[in-house]
Amino acid sequence: MDNALFFQLYELVQACHKADVKTIICGGLGVYLSFSKRQNDICNMIRATQDIDLMFSKSDLVEEAKRKAIAEIITNELEYVVCNDKQHHGFMKGQNRRLDILAPPVEGLTRKNYRVCIVKSKVHGHYTEEARFIDEGLRTLLLSDIMGDSEENKRIKFYVPSPTNMMIMKLYAFADRI
């Protein structure tokens, strides 16, 4: 796994922690993080990824203040810019740091086809129906699991979906590809 991707994750988790926003890492990086502490060869079988698939909890997406904090973190503090091909749910930072925002079904948020409006004209999420139960069984990781054992890193949490939710999401992603 690329160290630049871990640094990108580190920045993202730290910024979200400061705003009291729960960071849920899905996709290939989420799968890798789910198994990275295993002492067998499973990590060698996991395909490397080049981006971060980020999802937020339903409770954070329901709160307008948290949605605004999310948009502030992504577009201003961390200086990601919208990828033209992703219509406000895909972002770039520099040449090789990609971030995709996924959104579980949340009542009250405007949805058009596959896009969920988190903050109008700033941040949208890719509608992810299969993440309906994303908040259930989240696995907790610490920032110190990926970047240094400082006391601060030992206190900052982020999450990956439960194995069941992760499998469901990856199966849907696989079906989308074919």
Side-chain angles (χ1 to χ4, degrees):
M1 210 42 81
D2 185 1
N3 283 339
L5 191 64
F6 287 122
F7 184 74
Q8 179 184 0
L9 176 62
Y10 177 77
E11 273 185 336
L12 192 58
V13 170
Q14 270 195 324
C16 287
H17 174 77
K18 288 180 204 166
D20 194 29
V21 172
K22 188 181 274 188
T23 308
I24 305 170
I25 305 301
C26 301
L29 184 57
V31 171
Y32 176 82
L33 292 167
S34 293
F35 293 104
S36 63
K37 289 188 174 183
R38 306 277 190 241
Q39 295 300 318
N40 57 31
D41 292 332
I42 197 159
C43 283
N44 295 329
M45 297 179 347
I46 297 172
R47 179 177 62 91
T49 186
Q50 303 299 315
D51 69 348
I52 293 177
D53 293 313
L54 175 64
M55 188 174 290
F56 299 102
S57 70
K58 290 180 183 183
S59 59
D60 284 346
L61 291 176
V62 167
E63 280 187 54
E64 184 178 3
K66 292 240 180 148
R67 289 195 313 269
K68 287 180 178 179
I70 290 166
E72 174 67 26
I73 289 165
I74 292 168
T75 60
N76 293 339
E77 183 178 339
L78 297 178
E79 300 177 339
Y80 281 91
V81 295
V82 174
C83 293
N84 293 332
D85 60 332
K86 300 274 184 139
Q87 298 182 7
H88 297 289
H89 72 266
F91 297 86
M92 289 281 298
K93 183 174 182 176
Q95 293 296 315
N96 60 353
R97 296 169 100 183
R98 297 185 70 88
L99 175 68
D100 287 340
I101 307 293
L102 308 175
V106 176
E107 278 189 47
L109 294 184
T110 305
R111 184 181 120 205
K112 185 175 181 182
N113 297 328
Y114 63 89
R115 288 179 37 197
V116 175
C117 180
I118 295 173
V119 174
K120 191 174 184 168
S121 299
K122 281 195 152 205
V123 176
H124 292 178
H126 186 277
Y127 181 70
T128 311
E129 172 72 33
E130 62 273 19
R132 178 170 300 282
F133 302 105
I134 195 69
D135 292 323
E136 294 179 18
L138 287 171
R139 298 172 88 189
T140 304
L141 297 170
L142 298 173
L143 205 48
S144 61
D145 292 335
I146 60 162
M147 292 291 261
D149 268 347
S150 74
E151 287 305 311
E152 181 184 8
N153 288 351
K154 289 179 181 178
R155 289 189 303 270
I156 299 177
K157 298 175 185 177
F158 66 103
Y159 304 87
V160 294
S162 70
T164 302
N165 280 327
M166 185 73 77
M167 181 182 70
I168 290 168
M169 291 175 64
K170 291 310 284 180
L171 287 172
Y172 270 78
F174 180 70
D176 287 345
R177 285 192 193 115
I178 58 172

